[in-house]
Amino acid sequence: MIVGTVMGSIFSTRKSEKLVGNKFMIVRPEKSMNTQGSDLIAIDIIGAGIGEKVLVATGSAARIGCDCADAPVDAAIVGIVDEGQDGMEVLGS
Amino acid sequence: MIVGTVMGSIFSTRKSEKLVGNKFMIVRPEKSMNTQGSDLIAIDIIGAGIGEKVLVATGSAARIGCDCADAPVDAAIVGIVDEGQDGMEVLGS
Amino acid sequence: MIVGTVMGSIFSTRKSEKLVGNKFMIVRPEKSMNTQGSDLIAIDIIGAGIGEKVLVATGSAARIGCDCADAPVDAAIVGIVDEGQDGMEVLGS
Amino acid sequence: MIVGTVMGSIFSTRKSEKLVGNKFMIVRPEKSMNTQGSDLIAIDIIGAGIGEKVLVATGSAARIGCDCADAPVDAAIVGIVDEGQDGMEVLGS
Amino acid sequence: MIVGTVMGSIFSTRKSEKLVGNKFMIVRPEKSMNTQGSDLIAIDIIGAGIGEKVLVATGSAARIGCDCADAPVDAAIVGIVDEGQDGMEVLGS
């Protein structure tokens, strides 16, 4: 998994019917997680807000682990990282 | 998932019979999505046009989420991103 | 999927018995597909020749989409790209 | 799989219920494993400590191979690398 | 798949019981296969020796294609590349 920050969300009116009801969050990985700096779009099963640090699962884990095994989903926010912990310093965040 | 722009399409006459009926769209990821700038080829289940911003799912999500679980497909356009929204500014688009 | 050029093939006498009968093609992705320039090895279910532009599926799509779901295959040539089309200009090919 | 060093851990109070009971370890891949230097977050089924060199499996192998096939997990520590062996010199560690 | 050279092996005494009996080989991808130069750890179902050029499958293909579908394995040596063939010159090896 990676840790990133929720930067915003995007909307899609014309989309796969299997995606209806999902929010598409823009997640920017922490620098130590992705030195290439690539944002990704993840569904959100937790209810994260803009600016929050989140845990993101990618690949089949996002579908199968988030009860949407049949949906075209390859990334999902699966946790909100607690604030004020040592681990985030390790990440340089 | 990633957001990209449909740049065109390619045709393949000699192909896997499981791919018959699909269009192969060239998608260029937004810069913030892919600082390496790699285009990819995705099938299109939505009906996107050239120049449109689209949402692309990759990996097994493209097969299983797009009702072609048995086809050699690893990327699919699964939504068209609405125009004129704040999220796209976050992406620098 | 990506588009690349068949550069040659490699042979392996000692290999998984599930791979017997497959050809291992060296595919060089088009520059716009992979700015890192990494070649890959793909099985070929179409019958591509050296120098031809091909469509390559990667990941589980290569196994499951090519009727070799139990084989250790992670990339497959699944189509030959038609010559003389506009899409290839988009790719800068 | 890759080899990396456990740098710390992060906590997430609000998370998928399928993740309850897991520790989220920050793993920094050995330089020869990842010249891009990207940390990742992995669950730990072995009981690794900070500073230990570990073997990490990614993708569906982390879910299915770690008896959490239904959880949104895409990386797992699956072994602790023995100290003082030649292999680590090969990795430049 | 990729082609790489076996550089050595690593040992892990404390590991997932599903990994018992496997050797963990350090594989360095050929330069044309991976311009980023990242080594990876693969199980070996063929019996490759140090210095040999091998074919490596990654992702779910390594588990499912190597009769260890339930193990946390994401890369496997599935063939030894024959010596003295033209294909290796294409790879610049």
Side-chain angles (χ1 to χ4, degrees):
Chain A
M1 290 79 75
I2 60 165
V3 172
T5 303
V6 178
M7 303 302 290
S9 60
I10 60 167
F11 297 88
S12 168
T13 303
R14 289 170 60 196
K15 60 177 176 289
S16 162
E17 62 182 16
K18 294 177 183 175
L19 291 174
V20 171
N22 281 302
K23 288 186 72 172
F24 303 108
M25 312 303 283
I26 303 167
V27 179
R28 186 158 293 168
E30 299 303 291
K31 276 187 184 169
S32 75
M33 291 280 151
N34 188 339
T35 52
Q36 300 179 304
S38 299
D39 293 351
L40 52 84
I41 306 293
I43 65 166
D44 179 13
I45 64 167
I46 303 295
I50 292 179
E52 282 191 296
K53 303 282 187 191
V54 292
L55 189 64
V56 177
T58 59
S60 58
R63 279 187 301 115
I64 295 170
C66 296
D67 297 321
C68 62
D70 294 332
V73 163
D74 60 18
I77 295 173
V78 296
I80 295 176
V81 176
D82 295 354
E83 290 183 23
Q85 54 178 314
D86 292 346
M88 294 307 283
E89 287 175 26
V90 172
L91 296 178
S93 302
Chain B
M1 289 79 75
I2 60 166
V3 172
T5 303
V6 178
M7 304 302 290
S9 60
I10 59 166
F11 296 88
S12 169
T13 303
R14 289 169 59 196
K15 61 178 176 288
S16 162
E17 62 183 14
K18 294 177 182 175
L19 291 173
V20 172
N22 281 302
K23 287 185 73 172
F24 303 107
M25 312 303 282
I26 302 167
V27 180
R28 186 158 294 167
E30 299 302 291
K31 276 189 185 169
S32 76
M33 291 280 152
N34 188 339
T35 52
Q36 300 179 303
S38 299
D39 293 352
L40 51 85
I41 305 294
I43 64 166
D44 179 13
I45 64 167
I46 303 296
I50 292 179
E52 282 190 297
K53 302 282 187 191
V54 292
L55 189 63
V56 177
T58 59
S60 58
R63 276 188 302 116
I64 295 170
C66 295
D67 297 321
C68 61
D70 295 331
V73 163
D74 61 18
I77 295 173
V78 296
I80 295 175
V81 176
D82 295 354
E83 289 183 25
Q85 55 177 315
D86 292 346
M88 293 308 283
E89 288 175 26
V90 172
L91 295 179
S93 302
Chain C
M1 289 80 74
I2 60 166
V3 172
T5 303
V6 178
M7 304 302 290
S9 60
I10 59 166
F11 296 87
S12 168
T13 303
R14 288 169 59 195
K15 61 178 176 289
S16 163
E17 61 183 14
K18 294 177 181 174
L19 291 174
V20 173
N22 281 301
K23 286 185 74 171
F24 303 107
M25 312 304 282
I26 303 167
V27 180
R28 186 158 294 166
E30 300 302 290
K31 277 189 184 168
S32 75
M33 290 281 153
N34 188 339
T35 53
Q36 299 179 304
S38 299
D39 294 351
L40 52 84
I41 306 293
I43 64 165
D44 178 13
I45 64 167
I46 303 296
I50 292 180
E52 283 191 298
K53 302 283 187 190
V54 292
L55 189 63
V56 177
T58 60
S60 59
R63 275 188 303 116
I64 296 170
C66 295
D67 297 321
C68 60
D70 294 332
V73 164
D74 61 17
I77 295 173
V78 296
I80 295 175
V81 176
D82 295 354
E83 289 183 25
Q85 55 176 315
D86 292 347
M88 293 307 284
E89 287 175 27
V90 172
L91 296 179
S93 303
Chain D
M1 290 80 76
I2 59 164
V3 172
T5 302
V6 177
M7 303 302 290
S9 61
I10 60 166
F11 296 87
S12 168
T13 302
R14 289 170 59 197
K15 60 178 176 291
S16 162
E17 60 182 17
K18 294 178 182 176
L19 290 173
V20 172
N22 281 303
K23 288 185 72 171
F24 304 108
M25 312 304 283
I26 303 167
V27 179
R28 186 157 295 166
E30 300 302 292
K31 277 187 184 168
S32 75
M33 291 279 152
N34 187 338
T35 52
Q36 299 179 304
S38 299
D39 294 351
L40 52 84
I41 305 292
I43 64 166
D44 179 12
I45 64 167
I46 303 295
I50 292 180
E52 282 191 296
K53 302 283 187 191
V54 292
L55 189 63
V56 177
T58 59
S60 59
R63 277 188 302 115
I64 295 170
C66 295
D67 298 320
C68 61
D70 294 332
V73 164
D74 61 17
I77 295 173
V78 296
I80 295 175
V81 176
D82 295 354
E83 289 184 25
Q85 54 178 315
D86 292 346
M88 294 307 284
E89 287 175 26
V90 172
L91 296 178
S93 302
Chain E
M1 290 79 76
I2 60 164
V3 172
T5 303
V6 178
M7 304 303 289
S9 60
I10 59 165
F11 297 87
S12 168
T13 303
R14 289 169 59 195
K15 60 178 175 290
S16 162
E17 61 183 16
K18 294 177 183 176
L19 291 173
V20 172
N22 282 301
K23 286 185 74 172
F24 303 107
M25 311 305 283
I26 303 167
V27 180
R28 187 158 293 165
E30 300 302 291
K31 277 189 184 168
S32 74
M33 291 280 153
N34 187 340
T35 52
Q36 299 179 305
S38 299
D39 293 351
L40 51 84
I41 306 293
I43 64 165
D44 179 13
I45 64 167
I46 303 296
I50 292 179
E52 283 191 296
K53 303 284 187 190
V54 292
L55 189 63
V56 177
T58 59
S60 59
R63 276 188 303 114
I64 295 170
C66 296
D67 298 320
C68 61
D70 295 333
V73 164
D74 61 16
I77 295 173
V78 296
I80 295 175
V81 176
D82 294 354
E83 289 184 26
Q85 54 177 313
D86 292 347
M88 294 307 284
E89 287 175 26
V90 172
L91 296 178
S93 303

